[in-house]
Amino acid sequence: MDFGLVLQTDPPASRVVSLMKRAERNGFRYGWTFDSAVLWQEPFVIYSQILANTQKLHIGPMVTNPGTRTWEVTASTFATLNDMYGNRTVCGIGRGDSAMRVAGRKPNTLARLGEAIDVIRDLAEGREAEVDGNPLRLPWVRGGKLPVWMAAYGPKALALAGEKADGFILQLADPYLTEWMVGSVREAAERAGRDPDALTICVAAPAYVGEDLAHARDQCRWFGGMVGNHVADLVGRYGEHSGMVPDALTEYIKAREGYDYSHHGRAGNPSADFVPDEIVDRFCLLGPPEAHIEKLRTLRDLGVDQFAVYDMHDAQEATIDAYGQHVIPALGS
């Protein structure tokens, strides 16, 4: 199993770079950041510094979207980083939540997302692609490689990930839901004539190592609020108890009263007050190292290739070090 570190690009950027260097020293192979240009600093600028200050770490957004930047700009940015530092980038992509809504726009349609996946990958790898009816190619790309991993929750999005993406990003660590969603993605890949085992499966969730579970839960409760924001979209689209989305995912948002993006992804987010302890325990990894290892073994047995640690809480360095000392040696590939 591979391990990744997920951060927000809060200033100063030097701290983001420092934490990524620390992660690589501790055996992490991937470094991810949020991508929302209003809420945080521009990640692609910081990626250049992370890549320059690490040797093997693979870097990418968790996740970008097809609406914030034009597709040729996104592809050219990835291709430029790959040309400078070797093929060490991954394009995590989704419909766009905070990046679009904070700017007053709606998330992208799945049709647009599916088209963007193909175009961004083709352009970044040096092939011709059509953008707004115009055939384009980046003539300077030589030997470029850009895996595109898609984030998804709902049935149509899961199907699209299986049909189009090189990897699937699931932003929660509940084994029951992981099994259901990974199965949906792989079934879609098989229906599309693709090798379902060729898709990389990445589970991303907060991890907090320590004995004080009450404190750990409070530090990670924001995640249930963030996931609930996506789940509310699914309930609005499919309804409750529709059979399209597991009740285990939708039941907990009944007490949700809205969402304030100014606290997005942060410990102490008041928009996450509705999230019960049970959901925090199911969606996150909490407790001593042995508890993390046990849950990660379960996820690995379900086909998860990478666990990406959301490290937005008051123990960032301690979590990275604990994973490097205890967890990664027990599970690392």
Side-chain angles (χ1 to χ4, degrees):
M1 177 179 273
D2 285 332
F3 288 83
L5 182 73
V6 189
L7 300 173
Q8 294 168 334
T9 51
D10 286 317
S14 58
R15 175 164 173 76
V16 178
V17 175
S18 176
L19 289 171
M20 290 295 185
K21 290 168 62 179
R22 191 184 195 107
E24 184 178 59
R25 291 195 303 269
N26 276 282
F28 288 77
R29 292 187 59 197
Y30 287 79
W32 305 92
T33 75
F34 282 40
D35 177 17
S36 187
V38 174
L39 296 176
W40 303 287
Q41 292 185 328
E42 170 56 40
F44 286 94
V45 178
I46 300 171
Y47 294 161
S48 190
Q49 285 296 303
I50 296 170
L51 289 164
N53 284 276
T54 57
Q55 285 69 54
K56 296 181 179 180
L57 202 67
H58 287 69
I59 296 297
M62 190 175 281
V63 293
T64 193
N65 71 86
T68 306
R69 307 172 184 83
T70 60
W71 302 348
E72 71 273 17
V73 169
T74 298
S76 182
T77 304
F78 278 113
T80 300
L81 291 170
N82 283 338
D83 185 64
M84 293 173 68
Y85 301 107
N87 290 324
R88 291 168 55 199
T89 65
V90 181
C91 178
I93 195 167
R95 293 177 61 228
D97 177 33
S98 62
M100 298 297 288
R101 286 181 164 130
V102 167
R105 307 183 187 105
K106 293 181 179 180
N108 297 270
T109 65
L110 288 175
R112 180 173 171 82
L113 175 56
E115 185 181 357
I117 288 172
D118 288 336
V119 169
I120 292 168
R121 184 199 291 118
D122 283 345
L123 290 175
E125 294 185 348
R127 294 183 294 276
E128 183 177 286
E130 191 171 289
V131 181
D132 296 329
N134 299 309
L136 297 178
R137 188 175 69 84
L138 304 180
W140 48 269
V141 174
R142 298 288 186 273
K145 185 68 176 174
L146 182 65
V148 181
W149 298 3
M150 181 182 155
Y153 290 110
K156 292 181 180 179
L158 294 169
L160 180 63
E163 293 162 4
K164 295 275 189 180
D166 303 300
F168 165 49
I169 296 172
L170 174 59
Q171 292 162 310
L172 54 81
D174 176 70
Y176 170 78
L177 292 170
T178 298
E179 183 175 20
W180 184 84
M181 293 185 182
V182 169
S184 296
V185 169
R186 287 187 165 152
E187 287 170 9
E190 192 165 12
R191 288 195 303 270
R194 307 178 72 202
D195 179 2
D197 294 327
L199 272 75
T200 302
I201 307 298
C202 175
V203 161
Y208 198 106
V209 181
E211 300 288 346
D212 188 344
L213 283 178
H215 181 74
R217 287 175 181 134
D218 286 343
Q219 285 293 303
C220 297
R221 199 174 306 276
W222 62 266
F223 185 66
M226 187 182 83
V227 173
N229 200 45
H230 297 286
V231 174
D233 284 347
L234 297 177
V235 171
R237 188 173 300 117
Y238 299 108
E240 292 185 36
H241 312 300
S242 63
M244 300 293 286
V245 183
D247 291 346
L249 181 60
T250 61
E251 281 293 315
Y252 84 98
I253 68 162
K254 288 181 177 179
R256 179 181 180 273
E257 296 181 350
Y259 194 80
D260 182 354
Y261 281 96
S262 66
H263 305 286
H264 189 56
R266 299 189 185 280
N269 184 347
S271 297
D273 288 348
F274 70 94
V275 180
D277 287 351
E278 177 197 0
I279 288 294
V280 182
D281 292 348
R282 283 172 47 194
F283 285 10
C284 304
L285 276 79
L286 312 174
E290 296 75 21
H292 292 245
I293 293 168
E294 181 181 2
K295 190 167 187 177
L296 288 168
R297 282 178 174 152
T298 299
L299 293 171
R300 184 184 61 184
D301 291 344
L302 294 174
V304 175
D305 301 297
Q306 179 184 154
F307 176 61
V309 175
Y310 276 109
D311 202 23
M312 280 78 78
H313 48 56
D314 64 2
Q316 289 182 303
E317 288 90 349
T319 298
I320 294 169
D321 293 346
Y323 263 68
Q325 183 177 356
H326 302 288
V327 180
I328 293 176
L331 292 153
S333 56

